[in-house]
Amino acid sequence: MNSLEIKKATVKNLTALQLIGRQTFSETFAAVNSEENMLKYLEESFADKKLTAELNNPNSHFYLAELDNKVIGYLKLNTGNAQTEKQANNALEIERIYVAKEFHGQKVAQALYAQALETAEKLNATYIWLGVWEKNFRAVNFYTKNGFVQFDTHIFRLGDDEQTDLLMKKVL
């Protein structure tokens, strides 16, 4: 890779975030979910109004991974009331780390994770947590390799399909 950069995203990056978000979620999950459920999720999760509100939320932090000025991945972090499942106030949630499939294995996710650690340090977080689909073995292995351990499960709804997410955390 030439010049990978991790940049804080703002509302000005809305379109780029929508594009990489839809692309990477589709690449990761389209083969194992119905087209109807995928379309519904992508429409709702990356709608202008919803994403703009999230980008403007001071408790959410978005970062874009750019390679030669092309967005190839992104990170979404949450604290406080922005967490998808309320944990402690001193916790940081990794809601999303996604990288375009053609860049898997090139340490882009690791660079995004390093940004999460840096943000956690700045916010004085005592632990990082996340939810990951139990059948997303690549992601589960990534988080395990980075020191996360499972502490619970919860249901993630994708359209009319209920899926089990592993809740994992890493004490800092």
Side-chain angles (χ1 to χ4, degrees):
M1 283 190 297
N2 293 334
S3 57
L4 180 68
E5 292 184 75
I6 307 300
K7 297 180 177 177
K8 181 103 169 115
T10 67
V11 174
K12 293 177 190 169
N13 306 111
L14 177 68
T15 302
L17 193 55
Q18 287 172 315
L19 291 171
I20 194 65
R22 289 179 176 134
Q23 174 191 338
T24 55
F25 195 86
S26 294
E27 288 174 345
T28 306
F29 300 113
V32 292
N33 287 286
S34 75
E35 186 176 347
E36 182 181 324
N37 284 344
M38 287 294 297
L39 289 172
K40 183 178 185 332
Y41 179 85
L42 293 172
E43 270 182 38
E44 291 173 0
S45 296
F46 298 102
D48 287 357
K49 187 175 180 180
K50 182 178 190 320
L51 209 48
T52 297
E54 291 174 354
L55 283 160
N56 284 325
N57 185 332
N59 291 322
S60 289
H61 311 271
F62 286 85
Y63 295 89
L64 299 174
E66 293 184 4
L67 181 62
D68 299 328
N69 297 313
K70 178 185 177 189
V71 176
I72 62 168
Y74 78 107
L75 166 70
K76 181 183 182 201
L77 306 172
N78 298 311
T79 60
N81 291 332
Q83 295 174 84
T84 58
E85 215 166 276
K86 186 69 169 97
Q87 301 289 321
N89 282 329
N90 59 351
L92 177 71
E93 175 191 17
I94 296 176
E95 184 178 348
R96 299 181 187 144
I97 291 182
Y98 282 100
V99 175
K101 196 170 193 169
E102 68 182 286
F103 296 97
H104 284 186
Q106 296 184 36
K107 308 239 183 274
V108 179
Q110 200 64 47
L112 289 165
Y113 174 64
Q115 178 63 59
L117 287 175
E118 185 180 312
T119 302
E121 187 175 326
K122 284 180 185 170
L123 297 172
N124 295 316
T126 58
Y127 69 94
I128 299 176
W129 74 277
L130 55 94
V132 59
W133 186 35
E134 64 182 349
K135 294 181 183 175
N136 188 348
F137 303 117
R138 181 181 186 89
V140 172
N141 288 338
F142 174 81
Y143 293 119
T144 301
K145 178 185 84 170
N146 280 290
F148 285 79
V149 294
Q150 182 183 344
F151 69 93
D152 204 351
T153 62
H154 74 175
I155 298 299
F156 175 82
R157 291 191 59 81
L158 186 70
D160 61 5
D161 188 23
E162 289 189 351
Q163 302 174 356
T164 301
D165 275 1
L166 306 177
L167 296 183
M168 302 179 80
K169 77 178 185 179
K170 178 179 180 172
V171 177
L172 302 173

